[in-house]
Amino acid sequence: MTPSKFKFSNPVLTQLEFTVNSDFTRDIEDKMAEMPIDSSISIERSENDPEAIVSYKIMIAEKTSSYPFYISVTMEAIFRWNDELSNDSVDKMLNYNAPALLLGYIRPCVAQITSASPYAPLHIPFINFLEKNMYMCIYMYIY
């Protein structure tokens, strides 16, 4: 096995917002909540060096009484690559691999923060980064 020519720095949590919606109401028979997920990727590529800062932000639900809580998390890392990689390969790595890696660091943060709420922990599912304009919902158990 050979090391990848695409490397990353230690991912850093740059933003976290968590709000429990105290006005959230649900039918006592309803055991699940549908939570919409939105996300964004920011790529700041260096003009001089083979590196870029990639930020991945995920927003779950909204600050309304329709959802038990709202959470927004941003992780960021510096990605570096070998000059041997083509521009096309680098673009794919920055747009697909980098946010997928950062999501792996966001998942435990979301699970831990939401486990301290009055609701069950939320586990973010896999996300297909090949679909650019996606709308996604996850379901969580509410006790």
Side-chain angles (χ1 to χ4, degrees):
M1 193 181 313
T2 60
S4 173
K5 294 176 178 148
F6 193 69
K7 306 204 182 296
F8 64 96
S9 69
N10 185 36
V12 176
L13 177 68
T14 58
Q15 180 266 335
L16 171 64
E17 181 181 354
F18 178 68
T19 305
V20 173
N21 294 325
S22 58
D23 295 334
F24 175 68
T25 56
R26 66 176 174 87
D27 184 339
I28 199 71
E29 299 298 317
D30 190 5
K31 302 276 191 247
M32 301 292 279
E34 183 177 324
M35 311 274 284
I37 296 179
D38 194 12
S39 65
S40 64
I41 302 165
S42 169
I43 301 169
E44 295 177 30
R45 204 162 165 171
S46 172
E47 291 181 20
N48 304 321
D49 299 312
E51 68 178 33
I53 299 171
V54 179
S55 296
Y56 181 63
K57 181 176 185 174
I58 190 162
M59 293 85 50
I60 302 170
E62 298 170 358
K63 295 179 188 178
T64 70
S65 62
S66 300
Y67 304 103
F69 56 80
Y70 167 79
I71 190 164
S72 171
V73 182
T74 306
M75 292 292 291
E76 176 178 290
I78 299 170
F79 291 83
R80 295 182 178 92
W81 54 91
N82 188 310
D83 284 334
E84 297 170 21
L85 290 175
S86 70
N87 259 351
D88 188 46
S89 292
V90 170
D91 286 344
K92 287 178 182 174
M93 297 288 240
L94 291 174
N95 282 286
Y96 307 125
N97 295 51
L101 175 113
L102 294 172
L103 179 61
Y105 284 85
I106 290 173
R107 274 194 186 95
C109 293
V110 169
Q112 184 176 15
I113 295 296
T114 57
S115 70
S117 78
Y119 306 103
L122 179 64
H123 298 282
I124 300 172
F126 289 113
I127 294 176
N128 182 353
F129 289 96
L130 297 175
E131 294 180 26
K132 285 296 183 192
N133 296 319
M134 67 170 190
Y135 176 78
M136 185 173 161
C137 283
I138 54 176
Y139 295 90
M140 70 171 280
Y141 181 73
I142 302 174
Y143 24 122

